[in-house]
Amino acid sequence: MASSLDIQAPVDGVLVTLDTVPDPVFAEGTLGDGLAIDPLGDTLCAPCDGEIVHCARTAHAVTLRSAGGVELLIHLGLDTVNLDGAGLELLVEVGQRVEAGAPLLRFDADRIAQQAMSLITPLIIAEPAGWHLTPPGAQHSDEAVRQGEAIMRLEVPTETTGVNTPAASGPQATREVTIGLAAGLHARPAARLRAIAHEQNVDLELVHDETHVDARSLSRLMNMELMDGDRVTLIARGERTTAALDAAERLLSEAEADDPAPRAADEPVAEVGAGQLAGLVASQGLAVGPLHHYVAALPTVPQASDDPAQERAALDEALQNVGHSLKAALEQAKRSVRRSEAEILEAHLAWLDDPALYNAAEGYIDNGRSAGQAWREALDDEAARLQATGNKLLAARVADLRDLQRQVMACLGSAPSVPRVPADAIVIADDLTPSELTALAAQQPAGICLVAGGTTSHVAILARARGLPCLVAMGTALESAEGEMAILDAERGLLEPQPDSASLEAMRERISEREQAQDVAREAAKEAATTHDGRTIEVCANVAGGAEAFIAAEEGADGIGLLRSEFLFLDRDSAPSVDEQRDEYQAALDALGGKPVIVRTLDIGADKQLSYLPLPSVANPALGVRGIRLWVSQADLLDSQLRALLALEPLESLRIMLPMVSGVGELRALRQRLETLAEELGVSRLPQLGVMIEVPSAALCAASLAAEADFLSIGTNDLTQYTLAMDREDPDLAAQLDVLHPAVLRLIKITIEGAAGRCPVGVCGAAAGAPMALAVLVALGIDELSVEPSRVPAVKVALRDIDAGALNEQLPAWLELDDGTALRERVEAWLNAPVVA
């Protein structure tokens, strides 16, 4: 047998030391020693001659055993087990013998880079079989290597005494365990299982269907192909068998911390079929149409200049301003532990400081270009160079380069108009601003799919208000061809490019049937919504202004439950005047013809910022100055809003609602200010004044608030965010923000009980329009639901089928459940149970 074994690079790439891999299972050597490589190709090859002893069921990893017994794990990327094979193609099978350099695994680099944590690929000595690395690990970190180049060497020690670990002494114990790992027993939990045996100094064996495997062997553990739901026997021998079995049972029977989060939508998780792409439902609906890739137009800049010195100074200033903004955003991302966002911002800063880009822009300035045009052309050149390399990973960086191009040009020019999109198209974009969504909606697209975004973002709110089907947080670059037909199912959360003719026709029939049902519901919406057991619930609408209020009236809304006044303040250079505000609010009152209209006072801060109202940078804006807290520093701004509201007619139809109230003192102060302004304006009768219940303290103090407020309205989006300590703007947490979490529902119950007999309680968050959630809310005792205008008819239909009293009898026990998933299962089963005559 040879005394040494050279390990070759499995792919072209850049070497990375194992301790710097951003995953502790690899970085801490839990799986074994080795190194990693950041790949620049799309195929992993065999690092030495050997036999394939394991292929991951999800196609993301291959284990190879050399002739000397060394087992090498080649693990493509990090957290790629969660892709369930998407974008991956195994080229070998277990038992196959391969030579060094033989292709093992082909992967779609762009898709994996978008969907997984990282493309960094560890190469691990999972079973050294008495060999050792010389030197251990890689010694050429950050060095580019070619596939087939030797990167590690293993040698057989001159003395092999002690290679085989002696059996542990002590008692033996067994335990039956049911596997609860969504992705099965793959490399990560297998490594943790081996670590448990080592830490507890026991021999640990797994038995399944007559197969006995020692936990020290990763490849044999993975070859057991244990899946979620399988039963396995654990056998431990040693002095600490109980501790070892307890730890092993917890590991194997509980969902992994890094498994995909459960979906929070009312609908069941859709099965993603071949060719389909999944996202979170931001606005329900169905659509068929050609795909259109939306790219925001670049800012308009002057083309030429005859003063190079002035243009250089302008470019320097723009680069400096963008740099300050990027650094502030980077610090915020780091504090919020948003790693992927921080990496993008760091790349932008590196490009901003790139002397080659700056010199190229200077060259264009010397040739008579303006600073903005020079920067545009310099980055156009760099983008073309990256695309010309033919390297998919480099070409994928062009989107980041374009983003930086746009940011700097925005400092040197004026904002462009929103590009035209084809009518009835399904628009694909990375993300949209509220103003972009509004402009796009006016062009009547069939639907929208966003790579980023969240279900409670302002874009989602605006899409729902317009009945525009929308998926968000799709987490992948959508590479379908321009104009290609697609089906958007924003009920199950699926986009299907290139559907067959039968699928297209079936979806068109569903859309036609849905439109007919909506027409019937719209007609019925003119009547009150009374539950099966006789409770009448007001169904109002959430709107951004007068135009949407008119739509709400047409849809049969009983009033406006939330007019988001901040939309009047967004996307402009200065605050609206008193007259501008009055006209917008008056249009809403006129549209509803005497029905109640609730206007929320300015709710700025956190995810909603005004360029002309810079707020101090804080570690967590969601916990900073926002909502009613602005009163202290922006009294004049809020006074102007109150003056506009007091000028409306008839004031009997107006309700004023205060956001982010945390205690009764804030309500008293605002009421006193309202009375002072009314006296100044000669207004004798004040509109009703209410507060939003958005933070736990307000819910817990609901009784004292209800004693002084005219009404309460629960903002379920923020109440869920603050109760679960999850940023609702973080796409990675979007699926976990569950209003049906028992903790959130208990706070809602406390609010309703505190207000009983004192004032009515409504709900104006997204939960008011979700079928399962609205049933629970009404059963708890909510008096009014406020939803997007397009949802009003459907909500009224749903309410008429609910027996709120019977459901209420079930809730006390359900509120004691562990989580929202368990509670949803109970509610769904109850709602779907056949009615007993």
Side-chain angles (χ1 to χ4, degrees), residues 340-673:
S340 59
E341 181 181 336
E343 290 173 352
I344 292 171
L345 292 167
E346 287 171 341
H348 285 189
L349 282 167
W351 263 322
L352 204 65
D353 293 333
D354 189 331
L357 288 180
Y358 183 81
N359 291 340
E362 273 195 318
Y364 280 115
I365 288 175
D366 291 339
N367 288 330
R369 310 292 203 280
S370 71
Q373 183 64 20
W375 183 254
R376 174 177 184 166
E377 294 186 34
L379 269 70
D380 280 347
D381 293 345
E382 179 65 10
R385 186 188 69 78
L386 291 177
Q387 289 173 325
T389 62
N391 185 302
K392 291 184 178 181
L393 290 176
L394 294 178
R397 303 296 179 262
V398 170
D400 292 335
L401 198 65
R402 294 297 187 195
D403 189 13
L404 187 63
Q405 183 183 47
R406 184 174 293 108
Q407 291 182 63
V408 175
M409 289 178 67
C411 296
L412 298 164
S414 56
S417 58
V418 173
R420 298 293 302 172
V421 302
D424 299 321
I426 297 173
V427 177
I428 293 172
D430 288 339
D431 206 349
L432 295 171
T433 65
S435 61
E436 285 176 322
L437 186 281
T438 301
L440 281 176
Q443 301 180 50
Q444 298 184 325
I448 291 176
C449 294
L450 301 180
V451 171
T455 57
T456 61
S457 70
H458 278 80
V459 167
I461 289 169
L462 291 171
R464 287 195 294 269
R466 289 157 174 77
L468 184 60
C470 179
L471 297 184
V472 298
M474 299 193 73
T476 179
L478 307 176
E479 299 177 352
S480 301
E482 182 74 14
E484 187 176 272
M485 288 299 293
I487 289 173
L488 173 58
D489 187 338
E491 293 179 352
R492 297 193 302 147
L494 297 174
L495 175 70
E496 182 179 357
Q498 293 184 304
D500 57 38
S501 57
S503 297
L504 277 172
E505 185 58 32
M507 179 55 73
R508 289 190 175 109
E509 289 181 8
R510 282 182 64 192
I511 292 172
S512 177
E513 292 171 357
R514 191 65 49 81
E515 289 174 347
Q516 293 175 24
Q518 287 171 346
D519 288 342
V520 173
R522 191 173 290 112
E523 184 64 26
K526 297 175 182 177
E527 305 298 326
T530 302
T531 64
H532 188 70
D533 56 329
R535 282 188 56 204
T536 297
I537 308 297
E538 284 191 358
V539 181
C540 299
N542 301 331
V543 301
E548 288 184 11
F550 181 77
I551 297 173
E554 288 189 320
E555 295 287 347
D558 298 324
I560 299 301
L562 170 62
L563 190 154
R564 302 180 178 94
S565 66
E566 60 272 11
F567 278 93
L568 186 56
F569 290 74
L570 295 170
D571 296 322
R572 53 190 297 154
D573 298 326
S574 60
S577 66
V578 171
D579 288 344
E580 285 180 283
Q581 294 184 62
R582 184 194 62 231
D583 291 347
E584 189 69 32
Y585 307 145
Q586 187 65 55
L589 261 67
D590 292 345
L592 270 296
K595 293 178 180 178
V597 173
I598 297 176
V599 178
R600 181 175 66 189
T601 57
L602 187 60
D603 187 14
I604 291 297
D607 57 314
K608 296 165 285 189
Q609 299 289 340
L610 302 178
S611 61
Y612 53 87
L613 182 63
L615 297 174
S617 177
V618 294
N620 191 336
L623 300 180
V625 176
R626 58 169 298 197
I628 198 169
R629 299 170 188 173
L630 281 169
W631 183 260
V632 177
S633 61
Q634 305 296 329
D636 291 343
L637 186 65
L638 294 173
D639 271 357
S640 71
Q641 187 171 36
L642 294 179
R643 291 178 188 276
L645 291 168
L646 289 170
L648 300 180
E649 297 179 355
L651 274 178
E652 291 78 8
S653 297
L654 175 66
R655 314 280 191 269
I656 299 176
M657 183 162 65
L658 311 178
M660 287 300 295
V661 170
S662 56
V664 72
E666 295 164 321
L667 170 60
R668 289 173 181 157
L670 197 287
R671 187 181 289 281
Q672 184 177 12
R673 184 58 185 163

Side-chain angles (χ1 to χ4, degrees), residues 263-285:
R263 190 146 162 153
D266 276 354
E267 298 74 21
V269 176
E271 291 292 332
V272 181
Q276 294 178 327
L277 300 168
L280 297 179
V281 177
S283 177
Q284 290 191 350

